[in-house]
Amino acid sequence: MSLSITSSVSSRSSLRGLVPVCAAVGAYLFYLSAGEILLRDSDTEWQIKVGQWILEHGAMPTSDVFSFTRFGEPWISSSWLSQVAYALVYGGDWAGPVILTSIAIGATVGIFLHLLNPYFDPARAILIAALALLLSTIHFFARPHVLALPVLLAFIGGLMAAADRRTYPSWWLLPLMALWANLHGGFVLGLALIGPIGLEAVWSAEPSRRRELIVRWGLFGIAALAASCVTPYGWNSLLGATKILSLGKLLTLIGEWMPADFSKPSFFEATLLGLIGIICYRGLTLSVPRILLLLGLVWMALSHIRNIEVFAFIAPLVLAKPISEQWGMTAVTAARFEDRRSLPVVTILATIAMVIGAWVTTTMFVAQHPFKFLPVFWPAAAVDVLQQHKAQRVFNTAPFGGYLVSRDIKVFIDGRAELYGEQFVLDYYAALDARDAGQLLDLLDKYRIDATLLSSDSPAGNALDHLKGWKRLYKDDIAVIHVRSDEARVDAMPAAASSN
């Protein structure tokens, strides 16, 4: 009888241990199979180019080398390690970046389920993970923030686990902060959350331990701040990472920095309203620090849609312990903590088998499926025409900036808004909108533009068709080129160019 019970407990522990691994492999294979959804942001191209530049020069960029409008001005890359990683796996095709990004997403899911495991049964945990993925997929690109996502989750999850235990965080989280600071500028979020999460630990602890916890969390915060400066740029990484927040009005014009829009139904809106409804219906009681944490995450997600993924993965960690204790899961949670004392051999062997299976599947799939970047950000034919025309100063739309950088062409603008500054980008948007033709022409003259590369439906492109001194040279479904009329050459017009 004793042997039977022991075997049953071990079996359940093995199955629970396999859930995060199975889900991680499943998420990886899903995003690998749908790899093109990760290749729909032009920033990917210049991110890789920065990584290639670092590898070629054996140095870190300290000034801009990719544009003619900001050439030589101070600029640092707060995502240098991610950029180098992408450059290393990029072999002229997009399989490497897709695989690397899919691995990061799979790791995020595995870590997330591991953090939820003490509080929820596998079915509920998988449901929460699925909701988090659905909310976040809109911002899943082959870009540094996705590579940093598992590190973000592990670091903040470690802080929340310490708060749930009413203790202080492990010093082993400090290397994660250093890694995060080199992967992506979002590490400032981790620094910002140390205080509120530490407040929860102090709030919930016995009065006799509060002084000790305040000191411990304070020392950890100082150490984490120091760890975030362990980058090639030192403390400048922290300043550079926060520079984007000084762009003011511009943040309302950049897609991923726009506020959430509830004028039309969205999955985020449904999720947020559903969460509020469930909390009210079930009468969930939260401590003041957890309320502040939850409200802060909601505010971040409402202010900038790029923060929805942070809300999706961190809010469940904030709510997990209160839900477990107040909604009748305490006994299950206690048993689950007991089962996690050791990692069964069967779990290790099954993990190895799944990793090998995923590797074999990846090799076979990649051999049969060439990944393609979203065509709307890939104006290859138009850029060929520009090079034939020997254009030197091209006024381009920001989404084309990444491709131009990848072709070693100096750009007017790309996705590095923090480099160009608020007023420059606002002037760019105003010119692109072409409501004031004089403003457009003034900008083209100010920067001595000899050609434009705009999206085929751009208002500025339509305006240039009718403005004196400019002539259309080429147009296809993706891009349109205009040159100064006294420089236009008929022999540069390709046969495929549109005549209307």
Side-chain angles (χ1 to χ4, degrees), residues 12 36 63 131 197 221 282 351 415 423 431 446 474 487:
R12 290 198 303 271
E36 274 74 12
S63 61
L131 290 174
I197 296 176
R282 296 295 300 269
T351 300
Q423 191 56 53
K446 176 181 179 180
Y474 175 87
E487 298 175 358

Side-chain angles (χ1 to χ4, degrees), residues 7-40:
S7 176
S8 175
V9 171
S10 178
S11 177
R12 290 198 303 271
S13 180
S14 299
L15 290 174
R16 277 196 296 273
L18 285 175
V19 168
V21 179
C22 290
V25 172
Y28 161 74
L29 292 175
F30 172 80
Y31 284 95
L32 175 69
S33 65
E36 274 74 12
I37 69 173
L38 305 175
L39 300 174
R40 63 188 199 279

Side-chain angles (χ1 to χ4, degrees), residues 16-90:
R16 277 196 296 273
L18 285 175
V19 168
V21 179
C22 290
V25 172
Y28 161 74
L29 292 175
F30 172 80
Y31 284 95
L32 175 69
S33 65
E36 274 74 12
I37 69 173
L38 305 175
L39 300 174
R40 63 188 199 279
D41 189 294
S42 62
D43 283 1
T44 298
E45 297 168 287
W46 69 257
Q47 300 276 6
I48 291 175
K49 193 64 178 181
V50 172
Q52 291 173 335
W53 189 95
I54 293 172
L55 292 173
E56 290 170 4
H57 292 80
M60 304 299 298
T62 55
S63 61
D64 174 54
V65 296
F66 300 113
S67 78
F68 64 84
T69 50
R70 289 292 184 266
F71 186 84
E73 294 196 9
W75 177 76
I76 65 173
S77 174
S78 58
S79 303
W80 76 270
L81 187 57
S82 295
Q83 292 160 344
V84 168
Y86 275 125
L88 288 172
V89 300
Y90 179 71

